[in-house]
Amino acid sequence: MDILYLVIPCYNEEEVLPETSKQLKEKLLSLIEKGEVSEKSRIMFVNDGSKDKTWDIISKLHNEDKIFQGVCLSRNRGHQNALLAGLMLAKDYCDISISLDADLQDDINAVDEMVAQYHNGFDVVYGVRNSRETDTVFKKTTAEGYYKAMKLMGADIVFNHADYRLMSKRALDGLASFKEINLFLRGIVPMIGYPSTNVYYARKERFAGESKYPLKKMLAFAWEGITSLSTKPIHMITWLGAMVFIVSIIILIWSLVRHIMGKTVAGWTSTLMSIWAIGGIQIFSIGMIGEYIGKVYLETKERPRYIIAEYLGDTE
């Protein structure tokens, strides 16, 4: 029978962990009782350098019930690295893993259908939101616009999917072969291949605590996704430069014609606008290219994506 690991990255989640652990344990035990997964299945919490009592709670849960496992990173490495750390550790013990957030916004009842789809032959099952009714108008508009923009730039991502997904052991082994430092898992996982499908669910309000993704972090994460998965922004700069060059040639010809006709009164507004427009494009272009060079710099250093300080769980 297949061993299932639920992998949950945590950062300052002391307010929600008691309820999250309770609900996840009930869900996992129900799957075990139905014979859907092995009794060796576990719930793995990954502490991403939390500053509150998150790790103390995880340690207590493990001491009281070995169904709970804990991974403590040496420092805060970000959601994607924390999730990867848990998945890479879990793959040595499990047949299937399901990753989800600790805030209970992802409907855990979708786990049943995910496992069923795995038994139907799918190696990757994406948890996809069926609506964004709980989002503000601003968040809904920007989120959906972002997914569409990513598609236009050639990134193969699942619309309205975050990091709630099931992965088989061979899919996890495939994920382990991706070595990049700049992680964007929702873009990398589709690159692995293997049969995949979607499971739809309604996203809930956060059970307790505050969101770990304010607008600033959301924008940074979105930018990380674009620059990690696509080189189209650089191609766009090339085309933009070509267009500006063509316009400059037209302006040059127009200026020569005006000079020949004796109408040489300089236009202050057009001159000022041209200087600012071209200067802005140049600075933006240099910044964009620098962003990619910076990523190449980080990749070539081959720094570890995470360091595990402590592990509470199975060793066999």
Side-chain angles (χ1 to χ4, degrees):
M1 195 173 296
D2 296 311
I3 299 174
L4 168 65
Y5 268 52
L6 301 178
V7 180
I8 306 97
C10 305
Y11 178 69
N12 293 344
E13 299 288 3
E14 65 177 0
E15 294 181 66
V16 74
L17 265 181
E19 183 63 25
T20 299
S21 59
K22 175 185 174 183
Q23 292 192 25
L24 290 180
K25 180 180 177 180
E26 291 175 354
K27 174 56 63 179
L28 190 57
L29 290 178
S30 71
L31 289 170
I32 294 172
E33 291 172 2
K34 293 175 185 177
E36 297 289 332
V37 298
S38 168
E39 60 183 12
K40 294 182 180 180
S41 298
R42 298 289 183 265
I43 300 167
M44 178 183 286
F45 292 108
V46 183
N47 177 42
D48 184 25
S50 298
K51 299 177 181 178
D52 60 4
K53 297 181 180 179
T54 294
W55 181 242
D56 293 335
I57 296 173
I58 294 172
S59 299
K60 181 180 179 181
L61 288 169
H62 173 73
N63 292 332
E64 294 176 350
D65 192 336
K66 300 307 177 185
I67 198 172
F68 296 108
Q69 297 193 347
V71 180
C72 186
L73 303 189
S74 60
R75 58 182 285 266
N76 178 257
R77 293 295 301 163
H79 178 273
Q80 297 291 278
N81 284 303
L83 177 54
L84 182 70
L87 292 175
M88 292 300 97
L89 190 58
K91 77 179 180 65
D92 295 329
Y93 306 103
C94 71
D95 299 301
I96 47 177
S97 72
I98 295 179
S99 58
L100 67 162
D101 291 337
D103 54 18
L104 294 177
Q105 287 188 282
D106 298 323
D107 185 6
I108 63 173
N109 292 317
V111 167
D112 298 74
E113 190 174 351
M114 286 183 171
V115 173
Q117 292 295 348
Y118 165 76
H119 289 144
N120 287 336
F122 293 100
D123 287 275
V124 181
V125 183
Y126 300 103
V128 179
R129 296 179 64 169
N130 55 18
S131 69
R132 286 187 170 270
E133 294 179 358
T134 57
D135 288 349
T136 62
V137 175
F138 174 77
K139 186 174 182 179
K140 178 180 179 180
T141 303
T142 53
E144 293 184 348
Y146 170 70
Y147 281 107
K148 292 175 182 177
M150 290 289 287
K151 283 288 186 181
L152 288 173
M153 291 188 181
D156 183 17
I157 61 173
V158 180
F159 191 76
N160 275 341
H161 162 70
D163 288 299
Y164 188 18
R165 72 177 72 88
L166 175 147
M167 297 180 71
S168 67
K169 184 175 179 60
R170 71 169 181 166
L172 290 172
D173 288 335
L175 177 61
S177 66
F178 288 78
K179 302 299 183 181
E180 53 251 59
I181 303 298
N182 304 286
L183 278 178
F184 189 70
L185 292 176
R186 65 189 71 174
I188 293 175
V189 172
M191 296 181 187
I192 298 172
Y194 298 133
S196 65
T197 189
N198 298 339
V199 165
Y200 296 90
Y201 69 96
R203 191 167 172 84
K204 303 176 181 178
E205 294 287 347
R206 183 179 175 86
F207 177 78
E210 297 179 354
S211 171
K212 304 305 181 294
Y213 269 93
L215 180 59
K216 183 179 179 181
K217 281 192 174 182
M218 286 175 61
L219 292 173
F221 187 60
W223 183 248
E224 178 72 28
I226 291 172
T227 53
S228 295
L229 298 176
S230 175
T231 57
K232 279 197 175 182
I234 290 184
H235 298 315
M236 290 168 62
I237 288 173
T238 303
W239 284 106
L240 183 60
M243 291 173 61
V244 171
F245 177 73
I246 292 170
V247 171
S248 67
I249 294 297
I250 294 172
I251 292 174
L252 176 62
I253 294 172
W254 176 78
S255 299
L256 288 173
V257 171
R258 297 279 293 180
H259 178 74
I260 293 170
M261 294 174 64
K263 300 177 180 180
T264 57
V265 178
W268 169 255
T269 303
S270 60
T271 302
L272 193 63
M273 288 181 64
S274 298
I275 292 172
W276 277 93
I278 295 173
I281 290 172
Q282 289 175 333
I283 293 172
F284 174 77
S285 301
I286 293 170
M288 178 68 75
I289 294 170
E291 190 75 25
Y292 280 92
I293 292 174
K295 288 184 179 296
V296 173
Y297 170 72
L298 290 175
E299 294 291 345
T300 56
K301 294 178 81 70
E302 296 185 350
R303 289 173 175 169
R305 291 174 289 190
Y306 55 84
I307 296 175
I308 296 176
E310 191 173 351
Y311 172 55
L312 305 175
D314 299 329
T315 56
E316 297 181 0

